[in-house]
């Protein structure tokens, strides 16, 4: 079935995309304003885009009235933020930080979550998250009423018990227990169900084709 995005409403385009581009990782973004007030909010228009430098990005929408949300406003003014990843054990705390509190409210305090000092940026990281990426602004890109925030990662924290071998930088990814965003207003998925499909070389592919003849 064809949906012409040049003729349907923005709301319908949104519904189609978020119902099919799944699962999506969640950026649990912590920022700080000039007065030091901490803000936290989750964003599922999120991913990693480059490895040298490491650049990650997320799409931040506006408030219903059209002004920037605290996350984008703080990043625009300070140039720093922390992206935490969301484990299932903290999913309800993450959901609480998605509430549209007025400016100046510390969402982490409201949700009963703990802060840990970052190493290179002012905004803190979330203690309940097993992964935190400290970022400085790489680029801010207007995209309709969204702002695409690209951040250069300057430091990364991973829980000690989620490292298989720190010297070889082997992460115990399943132990992170992360969740991803699914469709609708409240559906998420666990990352426990996996299938392994090894990458193939050209030689391996040609050998398979010959064997099938």
């Amino acid at each position: 079935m064809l949906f012409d995005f040049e003729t349907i409403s923005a709301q319908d385009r949104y519904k189609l995309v978020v119902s099919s581009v799944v699962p999506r990782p969640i950026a649990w973004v912590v920022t700080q304003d000039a007065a030091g007030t901490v803000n936290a909010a989750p964003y599922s228009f999120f991913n990693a885009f480059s490895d040298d430098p490491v650049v990650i990005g997320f799409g931040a929408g506006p408030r219903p009235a059209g002004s920037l949300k605290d996350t984008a406003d703080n990043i625009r003014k300070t140039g720093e933020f922390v992206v935490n990843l969301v484990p299932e054990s903290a999913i309800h705390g993450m959901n609480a930080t998605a509430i549209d509190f007025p400016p100046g409210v510390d969402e982490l305090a409201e949700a009963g979550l703990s802060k840990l000092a970052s190493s290179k940026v002012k905004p803190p990281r979330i203690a309940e998250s097993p992964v935190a990426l400290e970022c400085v602004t790489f680029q801010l890109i207007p995209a309709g009423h969204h702002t695409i925030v690209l951040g250069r990662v300057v430091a990364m924290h991973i829980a000690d018990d989620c490292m298989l071998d720190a010297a070889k930088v082997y992460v115990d990814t399943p132990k992170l227990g992360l969740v991803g965003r699914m469709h609708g207003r409240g559906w998420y998925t666990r990352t426990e169900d996996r299938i392994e499909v090894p990458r193939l070389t050209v030689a391996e592919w040609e050998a398979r084709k010959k064997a099938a003849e």
Side-chain angles (χ1 to χ4, degrees):
M1 186 174 292
L2 171 66
F3 295 93
D4 185 345
F5 274 30
E6 295 183 346
T7 62
I8 64 176
S9 70
Q11 178 63 22
D12 286 344
R13 295 194 298 264
Y14 173 82
K15 287 165 63 178
L16 288 167
V17 169
V18 298
S19 297
S20 55
V21 181
V22 293
R24 300 188 304 277
I26 303 166
W28 201 2
V29 184
V30 178
T31 59
Q32 201 167 339
D33 66 17
T37 301
V38 171
N39 175 268
Y43 295 87
S44 69
F45 283 14
F46 162 61
N47 221 305
F49 301 109
S50 171
D51 65 345
D52 188 18
V54 174
V55 173
I56 60 177
F58 67 94
R63 290 187 176 278
S67 62
L68 287 176
K69 286 188 176 181
D70 292 341
T71 298
D73 191 42
N74 289 345
I75 292 171
R76 189 180 296 278
K77 291 175 179 176
T78 68
E80 297 183 340
F81 58 100
V82 179
V83 170
N84 305 267
L85 302 186
V86 182
E88 184 180 0
S89 58
I91 194 169
H92 296 293
M94 178 276 296
N95 194 43
T97 65
I99 296 171
D100 193 17
F101 291 109
V105 172
D106 183 335
E107 286 85 358
L108 294 180
E110 288 287 332
L113 296 163
S114 305
K115 305 181 185 77
L116 291 173
S118 295
S119 62
K120 292 194 171 185
V121 299
K122 288 183 180 179
R125 52 198 174 96
I126 301 172
E128 288 78 6
S129 171
V131 181
L133 301 100
E134 300 183 23
C135 301
V136 296
T137 299
F138 185 78
Q139 193 173 359
L140 301 178
I141 304 171
H145 60 263
H146 275 69
T147 300
I148 298 174
V149 178
L150 297 179
R152 178 171 62 86
V153 179
V154 295
M156 185 171 180
H157 304 262
I158 298 181
D160 291 351
D161 63 351
C162 293
M163 292 300 301
L164 291 171
D165 188 328
K168 294 182 178 179
V169 201
Y170 290 166
V171 179
D172 189 349
T173 302
K175 194 166 185 178
L176 297 174
L178 302 178
V179 295
R181 192 74 167 88
M182 291 295 289
H183 58 291
R185 292 182 59 84
W187 286 104
Y188 296 83
T189 185
R190 300 179 177 91
T191 52
E192 296 170 352
D193 183 18
R194 299 177 301 278
I195 58 172
E196 186 175 12
V197 183
R199 293 280 294 271
L200 298 174
T201 64
V202 173
E204 289 169 334
W205 178 251
E206 294 297 336
R208 288 192 179 193
K209 287 172 63 178
K210 183 171 289 187
E213 292 176 354

